[in-house]
Amino acid sequence: MKSKILLVQAISMEGLDIERVYPIGIVTLGTLLKRSGRYDVKIFDMNMAANPYAELKTQIAETEPDVIGISLRNLDPLGNRTTSLIVPFAMTVRFIHQFAPDTPLMAGGTAFTLFPERLMNDFHEITCGIVGEAEKNAVPLVDALTAHDTLPDLPGVIRRDGEGLRFNPPDGSFNMADYRMIDRDLLSPVDYLKVNKYVESIGVETKRGCCFHCGYCEYPKISGRCMRLRDPLAVVDEIAYLKEKYGVTRIHLTDSIVNVPTNHLDTICEELLRRGLDIHWSGFFREDTLTRENTKLYAESGCESFSLSPDGLCQKHLDMLDKHLTVDQILDAARVLADTGVIAVYHFLVNVPGETRETVEEAKKLIDAIYGIHAGTKSLGTIVLNLIRIMPGTKIERLALEDGVITPETDLLYPVYHDPPATRTSRYELEVYHQTRNIAMWNGFDLPDPMK
Ligand code: B12
């Protein structure tokens, strides 16, 4: 007889009006367990439930699981907000323990991966966890949980050992050439197709890992620095299947950076065109590999929004953030993107280490230049200005400690932003500056020359 596994996607957002995301991580885990042939898997996404805690109780009662898994995707909503998603996670863990006190509870997901030891120490209800990807360790771990054996010390597994913890760091060694399309029948994408206004709720992976070293970023910690690629044709097979089986026509390619290496994305787009797959897609792009030819290819193959995260609003900031990018490269990319007519959205960071009156004025020049370039085709979706969420182990954490923005006692599990008081208002000044231009662009207002 098969053992029963209940997988729970913890609350990933604040409020109900926020854009939802199909939980590809937990569905990947469910697929691995189901394909082992030893498990019946049920997935419950609390984000789609009208009354998530009551429905969780019902799910546990109906399933009577042998093991429960909980996925924590997000720590907090970012975007300068101070709400913590650890709060609903804590409540969920406690409810699970109350309704299924003897059932082993296994945790995982991107946010769990960022604070595994801390979360295991804070929440004793969690039996064990997987840090990073689950492809090579989930089945042996669940086998041991169901057999009541000692848990295996495989890379990525964190478990209790008496009063302490044993943690074998992940090695990111899963070869993405071996990736098999996940079993979305475990959680139908159909319910996710009508819930959002902007974001493509259905994600497809084309690769894992990120080779860049941006000073604030945790992506390499989550999936490694080596970019591991899926077969581009298999990616298109998956997109075609999603369209045919579930009617999915809008897809987010979930890679850290979708257009590096460039030829990988180019092959995917050429194949989308060759098969005449009429779908819309988006992803996060790096600026310095965008050309007139490849942006045209991306647009023709269905790219409906170019998301960019140049981050630095002036050269000094770009260098400090280790972006290995120049202001000119950002503007060159803006020009080729604007010519496609497809919406571009730029994400920048404000009040970063080294913010001064001069950097704020430089930032205004870059904002003007971007608006100027996109004005003709009205292709600037928006500019998003965020503070840096300080994460452990990053260059920004080190600088924030040196500058006294945080102290060694500052608890980074909960949202802490780099926002030194002396330059705190630069964010609002730049927000007014860009929003005024945004409204003028979309409504055709004339603006006085900002330089006068
Ligand atoms: C793609 C992406 C998006 C896309 C999603 C589009 C879509 N339709 O899917 C967009 C741009 C919309 C987005 C939005 C947001 N995102 Co986002 N996103 C990502 C990104 C780049 C990839 C996530 C992904 O799909 N990975 C692929 C899957 C297969 O991997 P996985 O989830 O890690 O799952 C594996 C393992 O974790 C494990 N696993 C997963 N669950 C479980 C459970 C158990 C029990 C076990 C054992 C194992 C396990 O097994 C899986 C297979 O190996 C990550 C960063 C990254 N590099 O991971 C950020 C990331 C997850 N996002 C993040 C955040 C914060 C957000 C937003 C709140 C940002 C915002 N303000 O809008 C929103 C929230 C949206 C929502 N409703 O949840 C943060 C979360 C950490 C944090 N700081 O809180 C990350 C880590 C980025 C960051 N800034 O550091 N995101």
Side-chain angles (χ1 to χ4, degrees):
M1 224 186 63
K2 290 184 183 178
S3 300
K4 290 171 289 178
I5 314 292
L6 176 63
L7 300 178
V8 179
Q9 179 64 47
I11 299 281
S12 307
M13 52 191 203
E14 209 189 350
L16 288 174
D17 57 340
I18 295 193
E19 304 287 285
R20 268 164 263 205
V21 158
Y22 179 85
I24 184 175
I26 204 163
V27 176
T28 305
L29 172 69
T31 304
L32 298 167
L33 296 175
K34 183 178 165 187
R35 286 194 182 139
S36 75
R38 295 192 281 285
Y39 301 108
D40 278 332
V41 177
K42 195 164 178 190
I43 299 181
F44 172 53
D45 181 359
M46 295 180 77
N47 299 286
M48 295 294 276
N51 191 345
Y53 298 97
E55 286 183 42
L56 174 66
K57 182 174 183 237
T58 309
Q59 292 281 345
I60 294 173
E62 283 176 5
T63 314
E64 295 183 340
D66 298 293
V67 174
I68 299 179
I70 182 166
S71 183
L72 180 64
R73 184 190 193 276
N74 305 330
L75 296 167
D76 34 69
L78 299 181
N80 315 323
R81 281 171 283 170
T82 52
T83 312
S84 173
L85 297 165
I86 297 299
V87 173
F89 177 73
M91 290 160 62
T92 306
V93 165
R94 304 238 146 108
F95 276 116
I96 289 174
H97 189 67
Q98 186 177 335
F99 303 133
D102 302 321
T103 310
L105 177 59
M106 173 180 68
T110 42
F112 180 78
T113 291
L114 294 171
F115 287 91
E117 284 143 317
R118 170 68 190 275
L119 292 169
M120 292 286 289
N121 282 328
D122 281 13
F123 301 106
H124 285 264
E125 298 87 346
I126 302 174
T127 315
C128 60
I130 289 179
V131 180
E133 59 197 11
E135 272 76 3
K136 287 175 107 174
N137 50 18
V139 173
L141 182 63
V142 175
D143 286 348
L145 284 170
T146 49
H148 306 286
D149 278 350
T150 308
L151 302 184
D153 288 321
L154 293 167
V157 170
I158 183 164
R159 67 173 177 92
R160 300 200 181 277
D161 184 17
E163 291 297 294
L165 295 173
R166 276 174 88 97
F167 174 32
N168 202 338
D171 59 8
S173 65
F174 175 62
N175 183 349
M176 286 296 279
D178 297 336
Y179 183 96
R180 280 180 65 197
M181 197 194 304
I182 58 173
D183 183 349
R184 304 209 191 220
D185 280 345
L186 283 169
L187 184 71
S188 174
V190 173
D191 296 340
Y192 292 79
L193 297 184
K194 292 208 165 65
V195 286
N196 290 352
K197 281 201 204 107
Y198 308 108
V199 170
E200 301 86 1
S201 55
I202 308 300
V204 170
E205 293 188 90
T206 90
K207 70 172 97 64
R208 287 196 192 148
C210 184
C211 61
F212 295 97
H213 291 74
C214 305
Y216 57 88
C217 187
E218 292 276 5
Y219 284 19
K221 195 167 174 181
I222 297 171
S223 45
R225 236 180 244 296
C226 170
M227 285 180 157
R228 291 167 288 146
L229 314 180
R230 271 182 82 183
D231 171 5
L233 303 188
V235 173
V236 181
D237 287 343
E238 178 165 10
I239 294 173
Y241 180 79
L242 284 170
K243 184 173 179 193
E244 193 187 310
K245 176 139 193 210
Y246 306 106
V248 176
T249 54
R250 297 184 68 222
I251 283 163
H252 184 96
L253 301 178
T254 61
D255 316 17
S256 303
I257 293 174
V258 73
N259 62 329
V260 177
T262 312
N263 59 355
H264 186 247
L265 179 64
D266 292 1
T267 311
I268 292 171
C269 293
E270 283 155 8
E271 187 63 12
L272 285 172
L273 281 171
R274 198 188 64 76
R275 295 198 204 175
L277 275 186
D278 185 19
I279 59 115
H280 300 281
W281 63 272
S282 77
F284 271 85
F285 291 78
R286 182 158 164 107
E287 296 73 4
D288 54 358
T289 55
L290 292 174
T291 63
R292 201 157 292 285
E293 294 70 38
N294 62 29
T295 47
K296 189 166 171 273
L297 170 67
Y298 305 151
E300 281 172 2
S301 69
C303 179
E304 61 177 1
S305 162
F306 289 100
S307 288
L308 303 139
S309 202
D311 301 329
L313 273 161
C314 63
Q315 195 57 51
K316 188 176 162 202
H317 288 177
L318 287 165
D319 295 344
M320 190 277 304
L321 294 165
D322 294 330
K323 293 294 295 184
H324 298 283
L325 208 58
T326 64
V327 167
D328 283 345
Q329 284 171 322
I330 297 173
L331 295 177
D332 286 345
R335 284 184 200 98
V336 294
L337 290 174
D339 284 351
T340 65
V342 173
I343 291 292
V345 176
Y346 294 77
H347 296 250
F348 286 104
L349 298 168
V350 284
N351 206 12
V352 306
E355 186 86 286
T356 58
R357 203 54 252 156
E358 290 71 47
T359 59
V360 173
E361 293 310 319
E362 289 290 306
K364 289 180 183 173
K365 283 190 209 153
L366 181 57
I367 291 173
D368 277 336
I370 292 174
Y371 273 101
I373 290 167
H374 284 278
T377 50
K378 281 199 177 176
S379 53
L380 182 59
T382 192
I383 290 179
V384 180
L385 300 175
N386 280 329
L387 297 168
I388 302 177
R389 192 324 184 170
I390 305 175
M391 294 302 290
T394 58
K395 174 179 179 179
I396 295 299
E397 181 199 30
R398 181 171 53 74
L399 294 176
L401 281 166
E402 282 168 16
D403 297 345
V405 174
I406 56 171
T407 69
E409 286 70 45
T410 307
D411 188 348
L412 297 178
L413 177 64
Y414 299 99
V416 178
Y417 293 97
H418 187 276
D419 198 17
T423 40
R424 203 180 65 86
T425 54
S426 64
R427 167 184 154 208
Y428 302 102
E429 185 180 337
L430 291 170
E431 193 74 59
V432 171
Y433 196 83
H434 118 74
Q435 291 289 5
T436 310
R437 264 140 204 82
N438 195 276
I439 288 169
M441 181 184 80
W442 286 105
N443 296 288
F445 299 165
D446 281 333
L447 278 182
D449 184 341
M451 304 317 281
K452 284 187 188 147

